[in-house]
């Protein structure tokens, strides 16, 4: 299998970055975040890309960033919450070891406060989060090799559950 050791997918605020960093450390591997790649390449925050150019422009940049990361990175890779919306991206994830980190809306509220820094949740955040998850959950499940619920768990507990679910050995 070429590509990343593990690819993390899931909704915004689920802990992909936190768990990704912990997994990378425990596996003795590098860590990469496709959203961070976009910010570095564009020189501005994701929220600014949404405001200034719209979601379609962001999704195009995201698709390229994910494609590059999947081709170049062999460690732990976290994808933005909406990366799985693109059919080509989902096709690229086929055959990869993909971990879907899941959570319910109450957990999302606790973790993110569903704040304005999340451009897709600016108005009526709980309702919008639920609608996003209704549209995305089946896509996360489609690409996932394993699913680890994060509700009520510490990052350490989620990381251990991820290692167990993917049957990965620590470095």
């Amino acid at each position: 299998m070429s590509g990343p050791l593990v690819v993390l997918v899931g909704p915004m605020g689920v802990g992909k970055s936190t768990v990704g960093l912990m997994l990378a450390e425990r596996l003795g591997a590098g860590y990469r975040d496709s959203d961070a790649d976009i910010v570095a390449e564009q020189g501005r925050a994701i929220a600014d890309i949404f405001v200034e150019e719209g979601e379609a422009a962001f999704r195009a940049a995201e698709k390229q960033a994910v494609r590059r990361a999947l081709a170049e990175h062999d460690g732990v890779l976290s994808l933005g919450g909406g990366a799985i919306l693109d059919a080509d991206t989902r096709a690229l994830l086929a055959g990869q070891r993909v971990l879907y980190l899941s959570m319910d809306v109450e957990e999302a509220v606790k973790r993110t406060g569903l704040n304005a820094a999340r451009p897709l949740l600016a108005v009526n955040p709980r309702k919008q989060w639920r609608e996003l998850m209704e549209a995305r959950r089946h896509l996360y499940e489609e690409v996932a090799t394993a699913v680890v619920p994060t509700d009520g768990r510490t990052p350490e507990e989620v990381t251990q559950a991820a290692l167990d679910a993917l049957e990965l050995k620590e470095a």
Side-chain angles (χ1 to χ4, degrees), residues 97-109:
R97 186 181 288 120
V98 179
L99 180 67
Y100 165 30
L101 297 180
S102 69
M103 70 177 168
D104 69 19
V105 70
E106 296 312 316
E107 189 78 7
V109 169

Side-chain angles (χ1 to χ4, degrees), residues 3-164:
L5 189 56
V6 181
V7 180
L8 299 177
V9 298
M12 58 190 89
V14 76
K16 295 181 299 283
S17 298
T18 301
V19 171
L21 284 163
M22 294 175 88
L23 270 175
E25 183 178 319
R26 291 188 54 185
L27 293 168
Y31 173 75
R32 186 165 174 175
D33 180 322
S34 65
D35 279 353
D37 289 353
I38 296 165
V39 169
E41 183 178 297
Q42 298 263 334
R44 56 192 167 149
I46 288 170
D48 294 339
I49 300 168
F50 267 83
V51 169
E52 294 164 14
E53 295 184 47
E55 184 176 358
F58 171 74
R59 295 295 174 209
E62 179 177 57
K63 179 178 179 174
Q64 292 311 310
V66 170
R67 176 182 296 278
R68 240 185 344 268
L70 287 169
E72 297 170 0
H73 189 65
D74 63 0
V76 177
L77 173 64
S78 294
L79 303 186
I84 47 76
L85 294 171
D86 182 77
D88 293 336
T89 296
R90 291 193 309 277
L92 289 173
L93 291 172
Q96 297 288 331
R97 186 181 288 120
V98 179
L99 180 67
Y100 165 30
L101 297 180
S102 69
M103 70 177 168
D104 69 19
V105 70
E106 296 312 316
E107 189 78 7
V109 169
K110 278 191 272 187
R111 291 192 191 176
T112 67
L114 296 179
N115 61 36
R118 309 284 184 174
L120 292 179
L121 301 177
V123 180
N124 195 345
R126 281 177 196 248
K127 179 176 180 269
Q128 288 181 296
W129 193 89
R130 279 193 185 96
E131 288 172 359
L132 280 175
M133 283 309 297
E134 285 170 17
R136 295 176 180 182
R137 183 174 290 110
H138 72 283
L139 299 175
Y140 292 133
E141 291 169 350
E142 175 188 319
V143 300
T145 307
V147 180
V148 171
T150 64
D151 304 87
R153 289 173 142 171
T154 66
E156 293 79 9
E157 290 167 334
V158 173
T159 300
Q160 186 58 55
L163 290 168
D164 295 344

